[in-house]
Amino acid sequence: MEVQSQLSKLEGVNASAWKVAKSSDGTPVAAPVHPYLDNPSDPIIAWRKGMKIEVEIAVKLRQDLPVRTDRAYDRDDVEAAISEAYLGAELVWSGISEGGSISFLAFLADRLGNMGYVRGPALPLAVLEPGSTFPLRLLLNNQVAFDAAGQHPTKDALTWLCDYANNPFRPAAALRAGSIVTTGSLCGAIEITDPGDVSINLGEQVLLNFAVRSL
């Protein structure tokens, strides 16, 4: 985490957006998301060979979730700290060719392979209900890459956020009010084989469009 922090400072990362995940041994971890694009009109993310996309739900915290030593956060505590939910897309690419398979700690230092995040339209908070599924359609360069029911891998979008909130070794400054936290992919990780246009449709009306370009 210290190496991750130093690398982020060198790159000028503004840690207002985070992704939460689990290490290979089940430890809750997090990494700052960079670049973070907050619902811009014509977002563009740099494309890299081997880049993948994960369609996710992101949440915004209305209040701090400080490290607790007296008792654990339960799910209701964490849900009560959330003010908004959004459709989002994370772009994943690691400078480590083996990703996390050789050294998870090195992968963590590399911000868990994060290469950018595009925050899209707001969603009703009901999308956070455990067991929720969503009609999800992902187009890459007008070709269908995913068209099925989207669901968080644990069947609860708040699982990894709750676990991380209860990690006593996380930085004291993590999970502050106003932070955006991504929750995990609804469709797995899908490779973007070529630069081009990305279009995401969640349900009947929620759309997110952006481009990945060779910059």
Side-chain angles (χ1 to χ4, degrees):
M1 291 295 292
E2 179 60 28
V3 173
Q4 180 193 94
S5 176
Q6 293 300 319
L7 290 174
S8 293
K9 287 178 182 177
L10 288 173
E11 294 186 78
V13 175
N14 178 12
S16 60
W18 296 79
K19 65 179 291 185
V20 291
K22 281 285 189 74
S23 74
S24 51
D25 66 0
T27 301
V29 293
V33 170
H34 178 75
Y36 169 66
L37 305 182
D38 192 355
N39 202 23
S41 56
D42 295 299
I44 296 176
I45 292 282
W47 177 82
R48 297 286 186 273
K49 185 177 181 179
M51 172 183 278
K52 297 180 180 180
I53 183 171
E54 298 181 354
V55 179
E56 303 183 342
I57 294 171
V59 297
K60 185 175 184 178
L61 298 181
R62 72 166 86 234
Q63 63 191 54
D64 294 352
L65 289 171
V67 175
R68 280 183 174 175
T69 57
D70 55 340
R71 62 186 178 90
Y73 289 100
D74 60 29
R75 191 188 186 283
D76 288 344
D77 293 330
V78 173
E79 188 170 17
I82 293 169
S83 60
E84 297 166 75
Y86 304 97
L87 175 62
E90 181 187 0
L91 288 308
V92 179
W93 181 88
S94 177
I96 303 168
S97 60
E98 299 89 356
S101 63
I102 300 297
S103 168
F104 186 84
L105 291 178
F107 186 60
L108 176 61
D110 192 37
R111 292 199 301 270
L112 297 169
N114 172 259
M115 193 63 185
Y117 195 89
V118 182
R119 200 221 86 192
L123 299 171
L125 290 177
V127 299
L128 302 176
E129 289 294 319
S132 296
T133 60
F134 317 93
L136 175 60
R137 183 176 172 89
L138 169 65
L139 299 180
L140 302 176
N141 284 329
N142 294 317
Q143 299 297 311
V144 176
F146 186 91
D147 189 2
Q151 186 174 49
H152 191 273
T154 71
K155 297 183 170 55
D156 183 352
L158 297 186
T159 297
W160 294 335
L161 176 54
C162 291
D163 291 345
Y164 186 68
N166 286 313
N167 182 350
F169 305 107
R170 64 179 169 93
L175 303 184
R176 291 286 180 85
S179 296
I180 298 291
V181 185
T182 77
T183 61
S185 181
L186 302 175
C187 61
I190 298 172
E191 185 172 357
I192 303 177
T193 56
D194 298 288
D197 297 324
V198 177
S199 180
I200 300 166
N201 186 191
L202 187 72
E204 296 296 324
Q205 299 178 332
V206 183
L207 296 172
L208 174 58
N209 298 304
F210 60 96
V212 289
R213 299 282 188 255
S214 298
L215 302 179

